[in-house]
Amino acid sequence: MMSSVNHLMLEILMSSNLRNTDINPAVSSVLEDINEHFTDCTYDISPAIEQTGYSKNHFRKLFHDAVGCSPIEFINNRRIEFAKRLLWEKQGDISIKDAALQSGFTDAYYFSRLFKKRENISPSEYQKKVMQTSNASPQKQ
């Protein structure tokens, strides 16, 4: 639960261009890079980590201490959140595969596994739930 809260707080900080003075500047720099490129399926975090001057292992520890998860987990979480938003905004007009690809995943099966592990519901179940919720809403025209 705390990891989710930390993730949400960092996402808000990074998206609003505010700076948290408690976060190592190297971690902050990599977070900015991730937020700019996470939907790119060819995105490689290694160059951003190399620019920090830290070894990959040491940087992973710094990142985990600041964010509560590894850089790869953070990227996957950002991608899943983005996919959820796509599934919500484009209800019925986007396939699970397209949502996965637009979110930066190259493999829809891998995306589905990660989604279910993180959300405790499959992407297709989530999509059905979203459609049921919006159909029951009086705001939907």
Side-chain angles (χ1 to χ4, degrees):
M1 181 68 167
M2 186 54 85
S3 178
S4 297
V5 171
N6 288 341
H7 171 73
L8 183 59
M9 288 173 50
L10 282 170
E11 184 175 326
I12 291 167
L13 285 171
M14 297 309 297
S15 67
S16 64
N17 292 325
L18 297 175
R19 299 289 182 251
N20 183 341
T21 57
D22 294 340
I23 296 178
N24 181 309
V27 172
S28 181
S29 171
V30 173
L31 283 168
E32 287 178 18
D33 192 64
I34 291 169
N35 283 325
E36 289 176 27
H37 304 345
F38 72 91
T39 59
D40 180 357
C41 64
T42 63
Y43 176 65
D44 180 9
I45 194 171
S46 297
I49 293 173
E50 288 172 9
Q51 287 182 341
T52 67
Y54 293 108
S55 71
K56 286 183 180 182
N57 287 335
H58 185 67
F59 181 80
R60 279 189 212 118
K61 182 182 179 343
L62 291 173
F63 192 95
H64 193 279
D65 290 347
V67 181
C69 63
S70 74
I72 299 302
E73 289 173 310
F74 186 83
I75 293 167
N76 286 334
N77 288 339
R78 291 283 287 132
R79 288 175 171 170
I80 289 170
E81 286 301 315
F82 187 78
K84 285 171 57 179
R85 193 170 81 218
L86 286 175
L87 292 169
W88 177 262
E89 291 174 356
K90 299 181 179 186
Q91 298 171 21
D93 294 333
I94 190 167
S95 68
I96 302 299
K97 182 179 180 181
D98 287 341
L101 294 174
Q102 290 179 34
S103 301
F105 290 98
T106 56
D107 182 346
Y109 177 71
Y110 178 65
F111 161 72
S112 293
R113 279 192 357 228
L114 286 179
F115 190 102
K116 186 164 186 168
K117 182 178 179 182
R118 184 173 182 268
E119 300 296 323
N120 294 318
I121 187 172
S122 72
S124 57
E125 291 169 328
Y126 177 81
Q127 191 174 40
K128 287 176 191 172
K129 188 175 177 181
V130 164
M131 291 177 72
Q132 288 172 351
T133 302
S134 66
N135 287 337
S137 171
Q139 297 172 349
K140 183 79 174 175
Q141 298 285 331

